[in-house]
Amino acid sequence: MSAEQMHRTSHSAPVDAPAGVVYGLIADARQWPLFFPENVHVERLEFDGAAERLRMWATADGRVRSWISERALDPGTRSVEFRQTRPQLPLTAMSGLWTVEERPDQSSLVTLRHDYTVHTPGDAAWVERRLAANAEAQMAGIGALAERWRLLDDLVLSFEDAVRIEAPAEHVYDFLHRVDTWPALIPHVARLEVTEDVPGVQLMAMDTQTADGAVHTTESVRICFPHAGRIVYKQTVTPALMAAHTGEWNLVPDADGVTAVAQHNVVLREEAVERVLGRGADLAQARRHVREALGRNSTATLHLAKEHAELLTRQG
């Protein structure tokens, strides 16, 4: 078998939701970290309304991989064509196509095709297994959300909190980046382990204590952008009430200091609401609970970052 041989895989799955809803989830790649377990972060680099260029981060076999993808969106045919411009080994080329077919019963058929070449013939089987596993996870993620499309406004919530800090952005960023120091500095952090084998990519496991004394264990991947004053993250192991959680620490400097913003995006786990909050609890209560808990912890962290940064500034 030649290393330049083109390989093709195709995976399809029915989704009990309108084709327009399904296509919308596929087309909005920036939200994929909320929908797909392996996707960590998607950064849109260019967009002209029909074509876009994205940088994507995803997990594979315990590692975080990153690549550039170009996509052509066609809502008329409900298709998204893509091509990786800088595929990572063992891939040497990767392209593909999403299609969403409308069925007579108002359900949909989603198909994901990949065309690829590999570095050596022995890599083909590994890539095929990874693509099959990823396609299965992606189809499941699309189906889980699309089939509850009438509830999406209740299941998905986004919010942010901000704290004004009279200090340079680099002092604030230092506090947010050095998570290894958090257990000694942040009261609600009981345990934290972090590894950073690739500069700017942190793998973190953390135990946090809530106001009622409960301890939640989470695992996260953090992508750090020091020059932009941003750290984005995805929790890969979430508390029971959340099916997905992504977020961002963002520093907005001005002439006198910086505004530090903590932003959260959450998909609620509907089936866990009563188990976590008690019999009769509903999604509205779950939204309030998550908003208050996440907001309280991230705002507390920002206030500690403020103390740290302003002290450093006073010390000169």
Side-chain angles (χ1 to χ4, degrees):
M1 181 188 296
S2 169
E4 294 303 314
Q5 178 181 345
M6 181 67 70
H7 301 269
R8 171 170 290 184
T9 65
S10 182
H11 301 88
S12 297
V15 179
D16 188 16
V21 171
V22 177
Y23 173 78
L25 296 177
I26 295 170
D28 190 3
R30 290 176 298 175
Q31 294 298 317
W32 279 14
L34 278 179
F35 306 156
F36 303 148
E38 75 280 4
N39 283 92
V40 173
H41 180 61
V42 177
E43 192 89 357
R44 178 182 275 170
L45 306 177
E46 299 174 19
F47 183 55
D48 66 6
E52 62 184 356
R53 187 166 169 265
L54 308 169
R55 181 161 186 196
M56 312 181 85
W57 287 261
T59 57
D61 292 340
R63 297 175 53 197
V64 178
R65 297 175 179 268
S66 179
W67 65 92
I68 304 292
S69 185
E70 295 178 346
R71 305 205 315 165
L73 312 178
D74 188 344
T77 61
R78 299 192 186 93
S79 63
V80 178
E81 188 173 0
F82 60 88
R83 180 178 71 89
Q84 291 186 14
T85 61
R86 299 176 185 176
Q88 287 198 351
L89 292 176
L91 291 167
T92 55
M94 168 67 80
S95 62
L97 180 70
W98 286 94
T99 59
V100 182
E101 177 186 344
E102 186 173 21
R103 290 177 152 184
D105 61 358
Q106 303 303 307
S107 68
S108 307
L109 180 68
V110 182
T111 299
L112 173 57
R113 191 188 77 200
H114 291 95
D115 300 305
Y116 61 94
T117 58
V118 293
H119 183 60
T120 65
D123 295 324
W126 181 88
V127 171
E128 184 174 354
R129 287 195 302 271
R130 290 302 315 168
L131 291 178
N134 288 347
E136 182 178 350
Q138 288 177 319
M139 298 292 185
I142 291 171
L145 277 178
E147 291 175 1
R148 293 180 291 172
W149 64 277
R150 292 181 177 86
L151 284 176
L152 282 184
D153 287 344
D154 296 320
L155 291 172
V156 180
L157 67 151
S158 297
F159 59 91
E160 62 182 38
D161 296 293
V163 172
R164 181 83 179 88
I165 302 174
E166 295 181 0
E170 55 265 29
H171 290 345
V172 185
Y173 184 87
D174 177 71
F175 183 91
L176 297 173
H177 177 261
R178 293 189 57 204
V179 290
D180 58 307
T181 65
W182 283 11
L185 300 174
I186 301 178
H188 66 262
V189 176
R191 178 190 67 92
L192 194 147
E193 299 174 2
V194 62
T195 58
E196 190 170 349
D197 295 333
V198 176
V201 179
Q202 297 178 331
L203 306 182
M204 186 173 78
M206 180 171 63
D207 292 342
T208 56
Q209 191 166 19
T210 61
D212 60 5
V215 174
H216 295 294
T217 299
T218 60
E219 295 181 9
S220 304
V221 178
R222 306 203 324 163
I223 311 296
C224 304
F225 302 93
H227 298 297
R230 295 173 63 217
I231 299 173
V232 300
Y233 62 88
K234 175 176 179 172
Q235 287 188 346
T236 53
V237 175
T238 58
L241 201 53
M242 293 183 283
H245 175 206
T246 66
E248 178 173 340
W249 304 101
N250 188 25
L251 306 179
V252 184
D254 55 44
D256 301 314
V258 65
T259 298
V261 181
Q263 194 260 340
H264 299 272
N265 308 292
V266 173
V267 179
L268 296 173
R269 184 175 282 119
E270 184 182 12
E271 61 274 19
V273 171
E274 289 194 351
R275 173 163 50 88
V276 174
L277 299 182
R279 187 177 180 85
D282 59 15
L283 284 174
Q285 290 172 264
R287 291 173 68 87
R288 289 194 297 271
H289 177 86
V290 168
R291 172 66 177 94
E292 291 169 4
L294 290 179
R296 180 171 53 247
N297 283 352
S298 58
T299 300
T301 300
L302 289 181
H303 279 292
L304 289 168
K306 173 183 173 73
E307 292 179 15
H308 166 84
E310 291 181 350
L311 178 59
L312 287 179
T313 302
R314 288 194 299 271
Q315 292 175 340

